[in-house]
Amino acid sequence: MYDTYESLMERTPWTFDAILAVAGKIRSGNGPLSQTFYKSLEEAQGIARSSLFGPVVRKEAVQGMLLLAAWSTNGWLPSGHAMRMALDLGLHRALEKLADESGKQRTPDEERDLVVSARIWLCLYWFDHQMSLGTGRPIVLRDENSIRHCRVLLNHPMASPTDVRLIAQVELIAQKTQIYETLVPLGGQVNHNTLSFIRRAMTALEKWWQDCDELHRQTMDQDALLRKILAGELQYAKLWVLCVTLRGVAWDKMNFDQRELAFQARDAASDCLSIFLTSPEYRAALRYAVHDSLVTAAFSGLFLLKMASIFPDDVDLPAIIGQVEQLAQLLSEVAAERYALTLRIMLANLRRKLAERDRQRGIITPVPMPTMAVIPPPSFAHDMIVSPTSMFANIDPTLPAPITMEELGFVSDRGYFSPSAIPLWLQEKSLDDLGLPVNGSDGIFLQMNGGNGWTGDLTPIPEAW
């Protein structure tokens, strides 16, 4: 055995500390973060900062940086640093060397080193592209040849059971990148050529899923977690493609084709959420989820709420509200409050809008309250909650009244949620916008008070000069 507890601790304190930090965060759940978490994260981030201006000699350093990026809500910069460390170490050439059939003999240690390097590179490639597409930033790495031989891992004597998952992620992100670069320049324009391209894209995504599910099926049953995740990713990829297509389109000016695309996106979002909520394996794994997995579930719920806001007479309102409330409650239970609170805000806005619609029809009813269990507000949102006195002293009478704690399903302390803390995409004036924001998830979900992407009372980190 190579990666044992003792050998990892001795060989790479950075990666070891990063693992402990992630484990400490997960273990704490909704409770207070432990001293183990704080100390491990401080050590890991300290080593990470020191690597900016010094040579990197071990690929474990790349693993440590990637772990810090994956479980952070601000993973863009650390993932970029991990990518450049990997390039310096030559990890991008590992797959090409594994696929080389020139007959060169390698020792078992050399072979293992290449396999591990290839896995690290594929994970980095996926994460870097996912961060770019998910936040609207430009894709920096353009060398598709570095992943061309990715399937060589599947038949390698040192193959891991989870290699099929890694290959599926890399192949999906490569397809999404091609789709994105075709759709973005259109600026929401939907014509015959656009529709034809979308049909081809959907066919390609279905084929990706069929091929990868077949690989998973060889060693996993129908209810296995990785197969459920794969099915959910197919539906989310469809939703994502359609939301990119609809970017910049005003709902009240939609033509027939754009409206059809919106309802296709609704079906994909509903299917994605259904897979997520009905799989016990998926729900149980949620407490270990990285940012990207939480976005998949939360954005599906947000899109359904927007569809309900725009087309209340054409969707199943009770079903959508029930699904999203269930999701928000589940996210709250696993300390994913950044995403749960975003859903709660959208639910509150939708209930207000539906009550206003009823009032205009002569049906006078109070705005309904959430049916979720009442819980305290999350600690990271305390700075976003204001008292009635300070709120109404500076309120604009032309805007809707601020959302109360009761409307969000929190224990009432007569406070209000600050409108200035709500991202533009969630605000009343943007409720009718179905397109994905240019800055992706950064423009959708609430910003946390941890500047380094981790919640908790951490020692402030010096800003770059």
Side-chain angles (χ1 to χ4, degrees), residues 1-8 11 109 112:
M1 294 291 290
Y2 185 75
D3 282 331
T4 63
Y5 180 93
E6 290 78 11
S7 71
L8 196 64
R11 197 170 73 245
D109 285 346
R112 182 195 176 281

Side-chain angles (χ1 to χ4, degrees), residues 131-264:
M131 285 295 301
S132 296
L133 296 184
T135 61
R137 293 180 170 95
I139 296 170
V140 178
L141 184 69
R142 293 288 181 175
D143 184 11
E144 310 303 326
N145 288 329
S146 67
I147 63 165
R148 184 159 47 97
H149 301 292
C150 62
R151 290 207 173 199
V152 73
L153 284 179
L154 298 179
N155 298 316
H156 195 277
M158 296 181 182
S160 163
T162 55
D163 282 341
V164 291
R165 166 73 181 150
L166 180 57
I167 302 307
Q169 286 181 293
V170 169
E171 292 181 345
L172 176 60
I173 202 65
Q175 284 203 27
K176 289 174 69 174
T177 300
Q178 294 176 3
I179 294 169
Y180 182 82
E181 292 181 338
T182 300
L183 290 177
V184 165
L186 300 179
Q189 178 185 355
V190 178
N191 53 31
H192 175 75
N193 291 335
T194 310
L195 294 173
S196 178
F197 175 80
I198 290 173
R199 283 193 293 270
R200 293 196 303 273
M202 294 301 179
T203 300
L205 291 173
E206 286 283 353
K207 186 178 186 305
W208 162 82
W209 173 78
Q210 291 170 1
D211 291 347
C212 292
D213 189 60
E214 177 61 27
L215 293 174
H216 285 66
R217 190 178 65 82
Q218 295 172 15
T219 57
M220 305 173 197
D221 61 32
Q222 184 67 37
D223 294 326
L225 172 62
L226 294 187
R227 290 186 72 182
K228 291 295 184 182
I229 292 176
L230 196 73
E233 284 181 334
L234 170 64
Q235 299 305 323
Y236 183 73
K238 291 180 179 180
L239 169 63
W240 176 84
V241 167
L242 294 166
C243 286
V244 171
T245 306
L246 294 172
R247 179 179 290 168
V249 177
W251 77 273
D252 55 345
K253 296 180 181 177
M254 280 184 175
N255 58 34
F256 175 80
D257 291 330
Q258 290 168 332
R259 182 184 169 97
E260 285 296 301
L261 293 180
F263 277 88
Q264 287 179 35

Side-chain angles (χ1 to χ4, degrees), residues 13 36 38-39 46 73 87 123 139 148 168 204 218 291 319-321 359 368 375 380 420 451 461 465:
T36 300
Y38 285 120
K39 186 62 177 176
T73 57
L87 289 169
C123 192
I139 296 170
R148 184 159 47 97
Q218 295 172 15
H291 168 71
I320 288 177
I321 292 174
R359 187 188 66 79
I375 60 174
F380 87 87
S420 62
I461 296 176
W465 58 87

